[in-house]
Amino acid sequence: MSKTKISVQLFRSGNLQDNDIKLGEKLIKLLRIPTEQPIQLAIGSFKQEIRVIPGIKSTVLRISPSLSSSSGLLPQSVLNVKYNVADKTLRLGPVIGVMISRYDPEDPSKPFGSISSFCMEMVNACQKLGAYVYFFTPEMIGPNPSTLEAVRYDEGWKRGPVPAPDVVNNRLPTRKLENSPSVQHFMKEVKSRWGTHIFNEKFLDKTEVFDALGSDEKLKKYLPESYSLKSYPILKKMCAAYPMVFLKPVRGSLGKGIIRISRQADGTYQTLTTSLEGIKKNSYSSLTKLYSSLSDKIKKNRYQIQQGLDLVRLHKKNVDFRALVHKNKKGKWSLTSIVARVAGGNHYVSNLARGGTLSTVKDALAMSGIPPTAKLTASSRMEKAALDIAKGIEAAIPSHFGELGIDLAVDTAGRIWLLEVNSKPSKGDNAPLNVQKVRPSAIRLVQYSHYLTGF
């Protein structure tokens, strides 16, 4: 099956039928497409019988306004085209649907909120590599998955009907949206009816990740001691073993609700808790009183208790590292970027949502104070850790992931640790410094869609 890249244009000739398309003779010969006889055109879930008419321009596909409207395909789109001789189907694609949480046409500068620039970069990446991308929210999903509405870029963002996609990139930011009946039904239906590939199809929680990776001897070295906090004896054991521990909501994000527990020199305990208002400090005369204060939180939410680490600091502020890994055009995990994240103000978490800032890995390590030999190899060891962890997640958790944000830390001895894995990495706080017009992560997502669909 041969393939190549073409751009789409409209024709308005009265001599051609609505279901005729024009392709250059060279391309027709290259792809072995029969002319003057019916074949199938497929664009995502859309299929229609067409007839191919030889034209002059070899890299242009001309279609009628009627076919453009019924297929949802916009003029000026750049796609890959391939012809399957066995089933006489000319396929254009890949069609990529990015599932997002919001679209506000009243805010043209940021119609998709904080990911608006990323959405535009996806459009540009598709134009560059050959693919068709649209963006849709759960409320745009109809009762039948084939009746989908979405937002496309056509000299501005415009909403309209589209075919079900070949690939879905799930960027829903909350579990509530992701688990809604309409979303779950949609994902199930497009998989079974059209073989749609859905990646990053679920959130990861902290206990699930640590349990999965803890069964792999090769990955254990990256894992701080960690347990699900279910009872006082677990808290007592961890606080006896370490002068500092962290309690993290199993399904938390953006650094919200993390509690740091520190044992003081006089035997008392201090907690620092992140909230929307900032850091809240409390002191307790005993561990039992501290545990009693947590009982309501533990009843309402699951928490992971984790060994506190003596991490490198930059200007007396905590530093961690966000590694962004993607499946590449060969379907293999590859590193896209690593950035250092420096905690803001008196925060002990580094998320940009908590006032953190970005630094290059080189600068962060240069000023870290770790042993010289460890400093020389830290960057390459972080890269290896990120890729090993991604492979471990894929092997142990039965879900499809094409992109992961892996939060790593380096302690004062230069050892690499895993903090957490995010299956919906933010498109603001993991971007490499000095981002160009199309960030590498957008390119990788399109390349992986090519791999999944054979384009």
Side-chain angles (χ1 to χ4, degrees):
M1 188 190 298
S2 299
K3 62 178 182 177
T4 192
K5 193 165 69 174
I6 51 93
S7 62
V8 177
Q9 294 181 4
L10 298 183
F11 66 72
R12 301 185 183 278
S13 169
N15 299 327
L16 297 173
Q17 302 298 314
D18 283 347
N19 65 338
D20 287 345
I21 70 168
K22 290 185 78 171
L23 274 176
E25 289 188 0
K26 286 184 180 179
L27 192 55
I28 289 172
K29 288 179 181 178
L30 176 68
L31 298 180
R32 297 165 57 205
I33 301 170
T35 58
E36 307 297 338
Q37 61 175 280
I39 63 170
Q40 283 281 322
L41 174 69
I43 307 167
S45 64
F46 173 83
K47 284 191 175 181
Q48 182 168 317
E49 191 174 89
I50 59 159
R51 185 179 59 154
V52 176
I53 308 297
I56 299 171
K57 293 187 176 180
S58 61
T59 59
V60 173
L61 179 145
R62 296 184 184 275
I63 62 175
S64 67
S66 172
L67 188 55
S68 170
S69 176
S70 59
S71 67
L73 189 61
L74 293 173
Q76 312 308 319
S77 299
V78 177
L79 300 96
N80 282 280
V81 56
K82 60 184 179 180
Y83 181 69
N84 188 314
V85 176
D87 61 10
K88 295 184 178 179
T89 299
L90 183 69
R91 182 169 286 278
L92 306 181
V95 177
I96 304 169
V98 183
M99 188 157 47
I100 56 175
S101 63
R102 62 163 281 184
Y103 170 62
D104 182 4
E106 301 300 315
D107 185 2
S109 64
K110 282 197 166 185
F112 307 107
S114 62
I115 64 166
S116 296
S117 61
F118 166 73
C119 294
M120 193 67 237
E121 289 170 39
M122 282 293 291
V123 172
N124 291 334
C126 287
Q127 283 290 106
K128 181 178 180 179
L129 298 174
Y132 187 53
V133 67
Y134 57 70
F135 306 86
F136 66 103
T137 65
E139 63 94 14
M140 294 180 189
I141 298 170
N144 184 328
S146 61
T147 59
L148 183 67
E149 285 216 338
V151 181
R152 303 157 295 169
Y153 192 81
D154 180 21
E155 298 180 355
W157 296 107
K158 297 173 183 176
R159 180 170 169 169
V162 294
D166 300 311
V167 179
V168 172
N169 176 12
N170 175 8
R171 287 215 51 84
L172 292 178
T174 67
R175 289 174 173 83
K176 184 177 180 181
L177 277 175
E178 185 172 88
N179 293 327
S180 65
S182 64
V183 169
Q184 290 298 314
H185 176 72
F186 171 78
M187 291 198 290
K188 181 180 177 182
E189 285 293 299
V190 295
K191 274 185 183 180
S192 63
R193 290 171 66 172
W194 298 293
T196 298
H197 304 273
I198 302 174
F199 65 85
N200 290 40
E201 55 190 328
K202 59 167 279 189
F203 277 90
L204 292 169
D205 71 41
K206 295 174 180 64
T207 300
E208 177 184 31
V209 167
F210 275 71
D211 286 352
L213 299 180
S215 60
D216 187 330
E217 288 298 323
K218 186 176 68 174
L219 300 176
K220 273 186 178 179
K221 63 183 178 182
Y222 300 125
L223 305 181
E225 189 172 356
S226 179
Y227 303 96
S228 180
L229 180 59
K230 295 179 179 178
S231 63
Y232 174 72
I234 294 173
L235 178 67
K236 184 179 179 183
K237 172 189 172 182
M238 289 292 282
C239 288
Y242 304 105
M244 180 174 65
V245 297
F246 285 88
L247 303 187
K248 299 180 177 182
V250 166
R251 293 188 165 184
S253 62
L254 302 176
K256 289 183 289 191
I258 294 176
I259 304 169
R260 186 177 80 180
I261 301 174
S262 303
R263 188 172 68 241
Q264 306 299 296
D266 61 0
T268 63
Y269 291 86
Q270 183 188 86
T271 63
L272 296 177
T273 307
T274 57
S275 68
L276 293 173
E277 294 75 36
I279 298 287
K280 185 179 179 182
K281 183 189 292 188
N282 286 296
S283 296
Y284 301 90
S285 59
S286 68
L287 196 58
T288 52
K289 288 182 178 177
L290 188 158
Y291 185 73
S292 295
S293 76
L294 297 174
S295 59
D296 284 346
K297 278 189 171 75
I298 294 169
K299 285 175 185 174
K300 291 176 185 175
N301 299 293
R302 290 187 295 141
Y303 276 80
Q304 186 91 345
I305 185 166
Q306 196 172 90
Q307 165 192 352
L309 302 169
D310 187 14
L311 301 181
V312 296
R313 293 167 71 82
L314 194 59
H315 308 306
K316 298 183 179 180
K317 296 176 181 177
N318 286 347
V319 180
D320 66 22
F321 301 86
R322 164 60 64 89
L324 190 60
V325 296
H326 289 89
K327 287 289 190 74
N328 61 20
K329 57 187 176 184
K330 295 182 179 178
K332 306 293 184 184
W333 285 109
S334 61
L335 181 78
T336 301
S337 64
I338 303 184
V339 293
R341 304 186 302 178
V342 186
N346 61 354
H347 281 271
Y348 50 86
V349 293
S350 63
N351 304 73
L352 269 66
R354 302 274 163 235
T357 56
L358 295 180
S359 169
T360 64
V361 173
K362 183 179 179 181
D363 286 348
L365 292 175
M367 295 183 275
S368 66
I370 63 175
T373 51
K375 193 178 292 187
L376 284 172
T377 60
S379 186
S380 61
R381 286 186 291 117
M382 276 194 278
E383 179 174 347
K384 183 179 187 306
L387 293 174
D388 286 347
I389 289 163
K391 293 170 188 173
I393 292 285
E394 182 177 40
I397 297 176
S399 291
H400 183 179
F401 300 104
E403 173 184 47
L404 293 170
I406 299 176
D407 293 345
L408 302 170
V410 180
D411 69 18
T412 51
R415 181 173 173 181
I416 310 294
W417 297 90
L418 171 67
L419 298 180
E420 65 178 289
V421 180
N422 190 333
S423 64
K424 308 290 179 73
S426 161
K427 288 307 169 188
D429 94 351
N430 64 354
L433 303 181
N434 302 318
V435 167
Q436 297 172 349
K437 191 174 182 181
V438 179
R439 74 188 78 186
S441 64
I443 297 289
R444 301 287 181 275
L445 292 169
V446 178
Q447 288 175 332
Y448 184 47
S449 297
H450 282 171
Y451 167 78
L452 289 173
T453 55
F455 277 105

